[in-house]
């Protein structure tokens, strides 16, 4: 009898140990499974987070994009990290007959307007592009480009450069010398908020929304910021009785800068453009390269040395503010420019064929 009781106790202890071992094994197995699932979830979340952070490339074009092949090379491999919007003349369609890049097919906005240089229609086109791009909540940065722009670096480099900071890149400085400010803008736009700079800006989503929602500064620009009459425009506009009283105001060189200053956002800006334009034309013997427009790079200009010289620019000096902007990315010295203009199609294709752009 005692032997049976002892054997029963032994069986009971053995079963209890087995249950403990099974329970511990179950716990460890569950923990391992949960850790594995958590790792997978975090990986997926991280992947989705990257995919949902896109740059919207906003092209302002006359008709077609003559450098579409250059941009086609640039965009390859950057899928899920960018979107494309094009403002071209009303009625123009980007289809297989008008572009050789799939990235531009049907990417024109459907409510474009006729744009004239030196008129408020240019900034109206910018606002239209932003309105469409903001509909995609994944778009976090908004880059304005002309139809003569080229990228100077590959997509990965440009994406990391732009996304590495929470600021917008807006070339903005006090305009104290040219007399473009029209006193009629006061008091809506006081002179101390008047700014000048390049229209080729890179905006955060917050600042893009400020531009689209603006219903105060834009109407004032439409009324009082107009280019001065020039001989080539005599047929379009009668000459004023006293031309000296005209304010030579080019809207796209002032609007975004002045608006963001007016709204108190200047502390949120990196005050420089990422797009290079060559305005130093005083030594040029070519009359076509003088005047109100930056130099246009032709086939003969398109050399690796030219691209390298632009890439090596690491600071910008603003004479009116006695300010030198040293260019950085992630806290380290970096090239100032990611894009450059104005390139003809032959010049851009020569750069691609010679691998000068390394896209």
């Amino acid at each position: 009898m005692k032997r049976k009781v002892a054997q029963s106790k032994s069986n009971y202890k053995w079963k209890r140990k087995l249950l403990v071992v099974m329970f511990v094994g179950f716990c460890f197995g569950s923990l391992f499974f949960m850790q594995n699932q958590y790792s997978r979830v975090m990986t997926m979340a991280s992947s989705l987070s990257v995919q949902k952070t896109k740059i919207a490339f906003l092209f302002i074009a006359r008709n077609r994009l003559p450098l579409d092949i250059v941009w086609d090379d640039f965009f390859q491999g950057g899928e899920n990290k960018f979107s494309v919007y094009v403002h071209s003349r009303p009625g123009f369609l980007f289809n297989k007959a008008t572009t050789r890049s799939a990235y531009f097919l049907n990417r024109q906005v459907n409510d474009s307007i006729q744009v004239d240089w030196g008129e408020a229609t240019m900034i109206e086109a910018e606002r239209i592009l932003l309105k469409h791009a903001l509909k995609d909540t994944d778009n976090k940065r908004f880059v304005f480009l002309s139809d003569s722009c080229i990228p100077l670096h590959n997509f990965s480099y440009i994406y990391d450069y732009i996304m590495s900071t929470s600021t917008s890149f807006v070339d903005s400085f006090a305009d104290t010398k040219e007399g473009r400010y029209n006193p009629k803008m006061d008091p809506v736009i006081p002179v101390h908020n008047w700014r000048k700079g390049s229209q080729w800006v890179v905006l955060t989503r917050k600042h893009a929304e400020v531009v689209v929602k603006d219903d105060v500064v834009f109407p004032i620009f439409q009324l009082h910021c107009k280019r001065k009459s020039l001989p080539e425009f005599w047929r379009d506009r009668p000459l004023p009785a006293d031309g000296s009283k005209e304010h030579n105001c080019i809207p796209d060189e002032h609007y975004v800068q002045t608006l963001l200053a007016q709204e108190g956002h200047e502390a949120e800006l990196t005050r420089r453009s990422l797009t290079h334009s060559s305005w130093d034309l005083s030594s040029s013997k070519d009359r076509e390269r003088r005047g109100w427009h930056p130099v246009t790079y032709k086939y003969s200009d398109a050399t690796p040395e030219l691209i390298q010289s632009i890439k090596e620019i690491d600071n910008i000096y603003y004479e009116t503010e006695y300010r030198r902007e040293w260019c950085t990315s992630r806290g380290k010295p970096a090239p100032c420019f990611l894009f450059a203009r104005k390139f003809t199609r032959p010049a851009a294709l020569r750069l691609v064929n010679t691998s000068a752009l390394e896209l």
Side-chain angles (χ1 to χ4, degrees):
M1 185 69 179
K2 289 182 179 180
R3 186 176 181 182
K4 288 184 178 181
V5 171
Q7 187 175 5
S8 177
K9 287 182 178 181
S10 177
N11 289 339
Y12 173 77
K13 289 181 180 179
W14 180 83
K15 290 180 180 179
R16 188 170 62 180
K17 289 181 179 179
L18 180 61
L19 287 173
V20 170
V21 171
M22 291 176 64
F23 178 77
V24 171
F26 175 79
C27 289
F28 275 106
S30 298
L31 181 61
F32 176 81
F33 176 79
M34 290 174 64
Q35 286 180 331
N36 188 47
Q37 289 297 100
Y38 176 79
S39 178
R40 291 180 59 188
V41 169
M42 291 304 294
T43 300
M44 291 176 63
S46 176
S47 175
L48 289 173
S49 175
V50 171
Q51 290 181 356
K52 288 188 176 182
T53 303
K54 297 195 298 186
I55 295 176
F57 290 87
L58 313 178
F59 290 86
I60 298 179
R62 297 173 182 83
N63 292 299
R64 65 179 66 203
L65 290 169
L67 309 186
D68 54 358
I69 297 301
V70 177
W71 288 100
D72 188 84
D73 286 348
F74 170 77
F75 285 132
Q76 289 182 28
E79 284 75 7
N80 300 321
K81 290 186 176 182
F82 73 90
S83 53
V84 172
Y85 302 84
V86 185
H87 184 287
S88 190
R89 65 171 174 78
F92 187 86
L93 299 177
F94 281 86
N95 52 36
K96 292 183 178 180
T98 57
T99 180
R100 288 185 286 179
S101 171
Y103 297 113
F104 294 104
L105 290 176
N106 302 313
R107 297 310 304 160
Q108 73 283 350
V109 296
N110 57 11
D111 52 352
S112 62
I113 60 171
Q114 183 62 45
V115 173
D116 295 309
W117 178 81
E119 300 290 343
T121 50
M122 179 66 81
I123 56 179
E124 189 174 354
E126 294 175 355
R127 286 159 54 92
I128 290 171
L129 282 167
L130 287 174
K131 179 189 70 174
H132 284 274
L134 282 168
K135 292 178 182 178
D136 185 345
T137 57
D138 294 346
N139 289 330
K140 308 301 183 185
R141 298 291 187 276
F142 304 81
V143 180
F144 281 104
L145 298 159
S146 76
D147 54 11
S148 66
C149 278
I150 61 169
L152 296 172
H153 304 270
N154 61 42
F155 181 88
S156 178
Y157 182 89
I158 288 179
Y159 180 90
D160 290 343
Y161 192 116
I162 291 175
M163 298 306 302
S164 67
T165 177
S166 60
T167 65
S168 292
F169 290 89
V170 179
D171 182 40
S172 177
F173 53 92
D175 180 29
T176 60
K177 290 188 175 182
E178 296 195 49
R180 293 189 176 188
Y181 177 77
N182 189 335
K184 293 180 180 179
M185 295 180 175
D186 191 64
V188 178
I189 305 174
V191 67
H192 64 262
N193 283 337
W194 185 246
R195 300 289 185 272
K196 184 184 178 184
S198 168
Q199 76 175 104
W200 311 111
V201 300
V202 177
L203 299 178
T204 62
R205 190 171 183 88
K206 174 183 176 180
H207 295 155
E209 290 172 345
V210 169
V211 174
V212 169
K213 293 176 181 177
D214 169 42
D215 58 2
V216 175
V217 173
F218 179 61
I220 296 298
F221 265 69
Q222 289 179 303
L223 285 173
H224 301 303
C225 183
K226 299 179 180 180
R227 58 172 165 76
K228 191 174 183 178
S229 300
L230 293 174
E232 58 263 39
F233 296 117
W234 282 355
R235 296 178 183 177
D236 299 334
R237 180 187 302 176
L239 285 174
D242 186 358
S244 64
K245 293 183 179 180
E246 280 194 297
H247 295 273
N248 187 28
C249 185
I250 311 301
D252 53 82
E253 295 182 359
H254 297 275
Y255 174 65
V256 172
Q257 292 82 356
T258 299
L259 173 63
L260 294 179
Q262 182 94 345
E263 295 295 321
H265 296 300
E266 283 196 300
E268 302 164 3
L269 308 179
T270 298
R271 293 171 60 194
R272 59 183 175 87
S273 175
L274 296 181
T275 299
H276 178 268
S277 299
S278 178
W279 290 94
D280 184 15
L281 313 179
S282 57
S283 62
S284 176
K285 296 181 180 179
D286 187 347
R287 289 188 176 183
E288 294 180 2
R289 298 187 172 210
R290 300 176 188 173
W292 289 25
H293 301 282
V295 64
T296 296
Y297 294 111
K298 302 174 182 178
Y299 182 88
S300 58
D301 303 312
T303 63
E305 289 76 20
L306 169 67
I307 299 303
Q308 189 60 34
S309 68
I310 298 175
K311 285 183 175 182
E312 289 177 352
I313 298 173
D314 60 1
N315 72 90
I316 305 169
Y317 182 68
Y318 294 91
E319 185 178 352
T320 61
E321 296 181 337
Y322 306 102
R323 169 173 63 92
R324 186 174 297 278
E325 190 80 22
W326 290 94
C327 303
T328 62
S329 178
R330 298 184 184 276
K332 298 180 180 180
C336 291
F337 300 110
L338 302 182
F339 312 99
R341 58 188 295 268
K342 303 170 58 176
F343 285 82
T344 62
R345 181 179 175 85
L349 293 180
R350 183 185 184 189
L351 292 173
V352 172
N353 291 335
T354 58
S355 300
L357 296 178
E358 298 180 358
L359 303 178

